Amino acid sequence: MATLAIKSIRKSFGTVEVLNNINVDLEDGGFLVLLGPSGCGKSTLLSIIAGLETSSGGDIVIGGRNVNAIHPKDRNIAMVFQSYALYPTMSVRRNIGFGLEMRKVGADERDTAVQQAADLLQIGHLLDRKPGQLSGGQRQRVAMGRAIVRDPDLFLFDEPLSNLDAKLRVEMRTEIKRLHEQLGTTTVYVTHDQVEALTLGTQVAVMKGGIIQQLAHPETIYDRPANMFVAGFIGSPTTNFLRGTLARSDGGLQLHHAAGVLLLDRTNQDVDAYVGREVVAGIRPETLMVGEGSAALSGRVDVIEPTGPDTMVVVNVGGQMITARLGPKDRPATGATMSLSVDTAAINLFDPVSGDRI
Ligand code: ADP
Ligand code: MG
């Protein structure tokens, strides 16, 4: 186990900069998720941590040791990729133990380590099979077993669940969380799946265009996104952005939008500079409920999407489409007028030009 420090890491391929001054401090036993859209630099950063790619500047420090000049195989890390890269002709037992075999670990010690990892992953009954005789989820477990037996300082995962179907992905996500709680190995995990990020991470780095947009605990990322990109990337359905002008009357704060006035409850001094100016209110679909009042939005129901546990209702509020996540029994008629009360404490205001949270 070890801490990980990523210090001022930069990377360019030719003239194209793909990582711009990346800084992260990860605690011993922490679980860092690198989250962002395809092409934002997640895998490149992971490869630099692993030593498979050289950086254009900056330092990687694992357990207090600067590893910039250390060969990948001497960094004591274990990587699990999206493609499991199992040896097809070898048994599961040999696949899991192969790294130990290469390092000349004796057969007895190897068998014990393989058995322990297999028990942990609940694949003890599959040890004599070949990878071709396993399901996708089982192969993923074998790939994780191979990482576990090495007892590394650091686990690196690059979208390990992307090849699995939706149900299995959820199961394996739980499995990875359980493993991390049992083993406590410091982990860096790359994904473009926000749910994986929020459920697994002790820290989440939301990336875009080679820049960390926000690095924080999942709850902070969700409740207090640093900017409109983070607010829009996290959450499904995504955050509603309602444009309007900020006003103060009788000491209360209001958002004047195209279809009316929404009373806000921010007493925060920071917003004073924005009074009289255009702002964007970020409103999560689950903070809306059927209801009226001064903290409500109304408009015509545009679309209704029942999903089973929830009903997604899209309401046209003065030309801006607002999605509400309502209960399974809330089924307004399309075209009807509907009023939605807002949990105004959960609203985040953003600067429309910079996109940053106010
Ligand atoms: P992610 O894993 O977030 O999808 P990557 O780290 O794979 O993103 O890639 C980040 C950017 O760097 C992309 O624009 C990609 O095209 C570019 N890139 C990655 N590897 C190379 C390479 N070896 N040569 C040139 N460009 C690369
Ligand atoms: Mg990638």
Side-chain angles (χ1 to χ4, degrees):
M1 292 215 282
T3 56
L4 167 69
I6 302 169
K7 297 185 172 178
S8 308
I9 286 291
R10 296 176 176 280
K11 178 66 180 178
S12 298
F13 289 108
T15 56
V16 183
E17 184 174 67
V18 297
L19 292 174
N20 178 339
N21 194 26
I22 302 290
N23 288 285
V24 180
D25 267 312
L26 182 62
E27 69 278 13
D28 187 4
F31 197 116
L32 169 69
V33 178
L34 305 177
L35 173 69
S38 182
C40 73
K42 306 179 297 290
S43 294
T44 303
L45 181 56
L46 202 70
S47 297
I48 290 171
I49 297 169
L52 302 172
E53 186 76 74
T54 55
S55 74
S56 311
D59 297 294
I60 299 293
V61 182
I62 300 172
R65 174 176 73 141
N66 187 315
V67 297
N68 285 6
I70 309 276
H71 193 270
K73 73 173 173 33
D74 298 322
R75 293 189 181 195
N76 201 22
I77 54 182
M79 245 177 132
V80 178
F81 298 94
Q82 182 179 341
S83 62
Y84 318 129
L86 302 179
Y87 301 106
T89 59
M90 291 184 193
S91 67
V92 166
R93 185 188 311 279
R94 196 144 174 243
N95 262 286
I96 295 177
F98 194 67
L100 300 181
E101 198 179 320
M102 288 293 97
R103 282 194 273 160
K104 308 267 187 281
V105 173
D108 286 350
E109 193 183 330
R110 212 163 62 217
D111 279 349
T112 308
V114 169
Q115 194 62 52
Q116 273 176 358
D119 289 346
L120 202 60
L121 292 159
Q122 294 156 342
I123 49 172
H125 58 298
L126 303 174
L127 286 174
D128 295 317
R129 291 203 197 169
K130 299 276 168 60
Q133 299 167 299
L134 302 178
S135 70
Q138 289 168 338
R139 285 180 211 174
Q140 181 63 71
R141 283 170 203 259
V142 175
M144 291 204 285
R146 200 170 44 183
I148 290 169
V149 290
R150 300 190 46 192
D151 190 22
D153 285 337
L154 207 55
F155 278 135
L156 304 180
F157 290 93
D158 195 349
E159 312 231 14
L161 308 184
S162 303
N163 280 345
L164 305 179
D165 64 49
K167 184 167 175 287
L168 205 52
R169 213 155 59 214
V170 172
E171 277 174 33
M172 289 308 290
R173 191 175 76 205
T174 309
E175 188 77 357
I176 289 175
K177 177 135 193 169
R178 191 173 62 82
L179 270 179
H180 180 252
E181 279 166 8
Q182 287 182 353
L183 298 171
T185 308
T186 312
T187 300
V188 184
Y189 186 100
V190 164
T191 184
H192 62 269
D193 181 316
Q194 42 138 342
V195 180
E196 279 177 29
L198 296 185
T199 50
L200 292 171
T202 59
Q203 290 191 62
V204 176
V206 184
M207 296 174 66
K208 181 186 136 197
I211 295 174
I212 294 184
Q213 304 290 314
Q214 185 169 16
L215 172 65
H217 188 268
E219 220 171 277
T220 308
I221 299 267
Y222 189 81
D223 292 336
R224 293 288 173 248
N227 57 37
M228 287 173 68
F229 174 78
V230 176
F233 196 76
I234 308 270
S236 176
T238 185
T239 300
N240 296 294
F241 293 119
L242 181 71
R243 285 174 181 270
T245 305
L246 205 59
R248 217 184 251 296
S249 83
D250 304 332
L253 202 61
Q254 302 171 330
L255 182 75
H256 290 249
H257 57 89
V261 178
L262 177 65
L263 191 68
L264 303 174
D265 73 352
R266 292 255 308 223
T267 49
N268 193 333
Q269 293 298 313
D270 300 348
V271 302
D272 280 350
Y274 286 85
V275 170
R277 290 168 57 189
E278 197 191 351
V279 296
V280 178
I283 304 173
R284 291 214 179 268
E286 58 275 26
T287 65
L288 292 160
M289 289 192 319
V290 180
E292 316 208 331
S294 55
L297 299 169
S298 12
R300 287 173 87 78
V301 175
D302 190 51
V303 183
I304 303 174
E305 297 174 329
T307 67
D310 308 298
T311 307
M312 306 303 172
V313 178
V314 182
V315 177
N316 183 336
V317 179
Q320 305 190 74
M321 295 301 168
I322 300 293
T323 301
R325 181 197 286 263
L326 302 180
K329 300 234 157 46
D330 293 320
R331 298 280 173 93
T334 306
T337 299
M338 168 163 217
S339 184
L340 298 165
S341 73
V342 189
D343 174 4
T344 51
I347 290 180
N348 289 293
L349 296 177
F350 299 98
D351 181 312
V353 178
S354 68
D356 290 342
R357 187 162 54 82
I358 299 169

